[in-house]
Amino acid sequence: MSWIEKLAGLIEGRVAEVGDADFMRCVSIDNGRINRQPQAVVVPANVADVAKTLRFAIDERKRLTVRSGGHSASGYCLNEEGMVLDMRSLGQLDLDAGKGTIRIGMGAIWRDVYNHLQASRTGLVAVAGGCLGVGAGGFLLGGGYSFVSRSYGLGMDNVRSLTLVTVDGKIRKVGPDSKGAADKDLFWAACGGGGGNFGIAVESELQLHRLKPVLAGQILFPFYRIEEILPAYNAWVTKLPNEMAVYGFLGNQPDPKNGGVPALFLRFTPIYNGPFADGMELLQPLFKLQPSNVSLFSMTLPQFEVMAGGSTSVAGRAAYIRSALLGPGTMDAKLAKVFKYHMSRMPTPESFVVWTHAGGAIARRKPTDSAYWHRNSLFMPEVKAIWDPSRPQDARRVIEWAYDFFEEVGQVGDGAYLNYIDPLLRDWKQKYYGGNLQRLTDVKNKADPDDVFGFQQGISSKFEPSGSRPLDLKPLIVT
């Protein structure tokens, strides 16, 4: 009997092999650069199946990785020659409108959650991802920036409890009010310390918020004006209330004044959690800069997320993703020159930069209050360098462009965002975890002493990319 047949006999779910529809669906992820072929995909029927699969993998010494929404920036959710636990079958949703909470199976993607909440007609929303296909599990465990994070904190700040399958096969529900110190530490570490390090997350309970329609849309400026516009934005956003977030984007999009022909733009995306008229008043400083086009609407937050959620998705194309975390005042004239230089040399028209406007309620907690260290950052820019996966000869040129670009951007910051995990990032542990690294390491050593959940950029890993030239791309191809 093969190990695949043996595992199939142990669980209520199923084990899919190459060629099976469940297998093919699992190994196809958002980043088309990733092409990894495990021997089998496990589709659990319940949480007990997760625990049995983990125990089996340990006993049989089989590599096990966990896939939620399939938006893993570097494809760590997959592996070669091992097995992948596909959590999407565990995407149950249980709304308690009276308590204002929802229980989410960690195989759910945000589209499912938004649709469920909209159908409830309660006006309740989750502090969740702007991209509809992102899995709840990875998003929450890595921090979780949302369009309303300035109002309500990170996604992980709204997790009331987390259920994990730990390395000993136990199913543990942990939270900030857990009685035992070990459970409190595990909750602290898992929320913000990233998935794949401490256990397999199977369910979370989230605090919801009741929102009226928001002001949302886009304000466009020609890219050539970036050295004028970005410093003005830089000064203006420090005066905004927490209810207003103004994201940024640099890249090609249809020009509404030229028949939809793509052109390079500086785009601001405001989201105001308040009356439309008040939001318009707050935006007056941007309007005075004479944008080339303004499209603003009053809509529910889920409606906006559906409208805008696909605009920054890789959607099966090949991509290399980098990020940086920048403090107040850093979107200045000097950084505008960096943006202008590199974006003017963009190797593919599909590549772009987008940044999150942070601060507000995120910064109310101290960096050590949770595993997420970067509470005082105001901007989180990321570059998505995109190319056609059928043209692997373009990969090095595109990757080196993005690498060099964000080496410069990162010089004015103090870290990078774990959910955009980057195998080429030097000093990555310090940049992701900052002053929380030692405590995270201590929790890891207790929760997973044999490093069952270890991977290339796991807490316990000694991996460090060289950064030497020519750039070594081997860390992008891991098993």
Side-chain angles (χ1 to χ4, degrees):
M1 180 185 293
S2 71
W3 71 264
I4 293 176
E5 292 172 318
K6 185 177 178 182
L7 176 58
L10 291 175
I11 64 174
E12 294 181 39
R14 63 188 306 266
V15 183
E17 298 182 71
V18 178
D20 185 287
D22 282 331
F23 183 98
M24 301 309 294
R25 185 182 70 158
C26 178
V27 300
S28 177
I29 66 174
D30 185 59
N31 190 348
R33 176 177 64 80
I34 311 300
N35 181 21
R36 294 180 188 139
Q37 294 290 309
Q39 285 185 291
V41 167
V42 180
V43 184
N46 47 47
V47 174
D49 277 356
V50 174
K52 290 175 183 176
T53 300
L54 174 58
R55 186 73 261 162
F56 181 88
I58 294 171
D59 291 344
E60 298 290 326
R61 298 186 179 182
K62 291 292 181 181
R63 180 87 174 103
L64 176 67
T65 54
V66 181
R67 183 198 193 278
S68 179
H71 279 247
S72 171
S74 295
Y76 289 138
C77 59
L78 302 179
N79 65 71
E80 290 282 351
E81 298 301 317
M83 55 178 147
V84 177
L85 188 62
D86 189 346
M87 296 295 292
R88 284 179 299 174
S89 57
L90 302 182
Q92 68 277 9
L93 301 170
D94 183 13
L95 173 65
D96 188 330
K99 290 173 58 180
T101 60
I102 187 170
R103 289 190 174 278
I104 297 179
M106 296 301 248
I109 60 174
W110 289 124
R111 179 185 291 107
D112 302 330
V113 179
Y114 299 150
N115 289 342
H116 190 79
L117 292 175
Q118 280 189 291
S120 75
R121 298 184 179 276
T122 59
L124 292 167
V125 301
V127 179
C131 186
L132 304 181
V134 168
F139 174 90
L140 294 169
L141 299 182
Y145 286 100
S146 166
F147 289 131
V148 289
S149 282
R150 283 177 52 81
S151 293
Y152 306 120
L154 296 168
M156 54 158 283
D157 296 335
N158 291 272
V159 175
R160 294 292 164 259
S161 69
L162 185 66
T163 302
L164 297 163
V165 177
T166 49
V167 72
D168 53 9
K170 293 181 179 178
I171 300 168
R172 294 168 65 178
K173 183 177 179 180
V174 298
D177 300 321
S178 292
K179 292 181 180 179
D183 282 354
K184 283 185 177 180
D185 282 347
L186 187 57
F187 179 78
W188 177 91
C191 289
N197 280 305
F198 308 101
I200 302 172
V202 293
E203 184 180 85
S204 64
E205 182 183 17
L206 300 185
Q207 183 66 54
L208 302 175
H209 301 271
R210 200 174 302 276
L211 261 70
K212 294 179 180 179
V214 299
L215 177 156
Q218 62 180 24
I219 301 171
L220 299 181
F221 291 91
F223 178 74
Y224 70 82
R225 294 183 63 194
I226 188 170
E227 290 180 85
E228 168 200 358
I229 303 301
L230 195 65
Y233 164 85
N234 186 50
W236 170 65
V237 292
T238 62
K239 304 168 187 175
L240 290 174
N242 293 353
E243 291 77 15
M244 176 69 87
V246 185
Y247 283 45
F249 170 89
L250 303 172
N252 287 305
Q253 73 169 67
D255 185 347
K257 289 191 174 182
N258 191 25
V261 175
L264 194 56
F265 281 100
L266 164 59
R267 182 183 80 204
F268 295 116
T269 301
I271 306 96
Y272 180 62
N273 179 14
F276 189 88
D278 293 351
M280 291 293 286
E281 185 62 30
L282 288 168
L283 291 170
Q284 289 304 310
L286 276 189
F287 297 153
K288 289 177 181 178
L289 294 172
Q290 299 182 327
S292 61
N293 191 75
V294 175
S295 302
L296 297 172
F297 308 92
S298 178
M299 60 177 67
T300 67
L301 182 64
Q303 284 173 333
F304 174 68
E305 286 164 330
V306 168
M307 183 180 79
S311 63
T312 59
S313 177
V314 175
R317 298 170 294 179
Y320 170 59
I321 302 169
R322 304 202 85 191
S323 70
L325 284 155
L326 313 181
T330 50
M331 287 280 177
D332 56 9
K334 182 178 179 181
L335 190 59
K337 290 181 183 296
V338 173
F339 284 146
K340 187 174 183 179
Y341 176 85
H342 289 282
M343 290 300 296
S344 298
R345 291 158 176 78
M346 194 165 58
T348 61
E350 300 88 359
S351 298
F352 61 88
V353 168
V354 63
W355 69 83
T356 296
H357 179 196
I362 299 170
R364 288 176 185 161
R365 295 192 182 193
K366 297 177 182 177
T368 53
D369 285 348
S370 71
Y372 192 79
W373 177 256
H374 301 286
R375 295 284 174 175
N376 298 318
S377 298
L378 190 59
F379 309 107
M380 193 276 290
E382 57 170 305
V383 58
K384 289 190 175 179
I386 296 173
W387 67 98
D388 185 338
S390 69
R391 290 183 54 84
Q393 65 269 29
D394 293 341
R396 175 169 289 277
R397 176 173 60 94
V398 179
I399 292 168
E400 289 185 343
W401 168 78
Y403 183 89
D404 292 340
F405 188 172
F406 266 56
E407 282 294 285
E408 285 197 65
V409 172
Q411 287 176 8
V412 299
D414 65 350
Y417 183 36
L418 181 61
N419 275 352
Y420 299 134
I421 198 164
D422 174 9
L424 302 184
L425 181 68
R426 290 175 294 170
D427 195 23
W428 55 272
K429 282 190 184 181
Q430 187 62 38
K431 288 176 179 174
Y432 291 139
Y433 303 118
N436 285 329
L437 177 58
Q438 186 56 58
R439 184 178 175 189
L440 283 164
T441 302
D442 292 343
V443 175
K444 169 70 174 177
N445 290 338
K446 293 177 182 176
D448 184 19
D450 296 323
D451 201 22
V452 169
F453 297 117
F455 63 103
Q456 180 174 256
Q457 286 182 281
I459 290 286
S460 55
S461 173
K462 292 180 171 57
F463 162 77
E464 184 65 33
S466 68
S468 59
R469 291 306 180 107
L471 198 60
D472 181 6
L473 303 185
K474 288 194 294 292
L476 298 176
I477 308 169
V478 296
T479 60

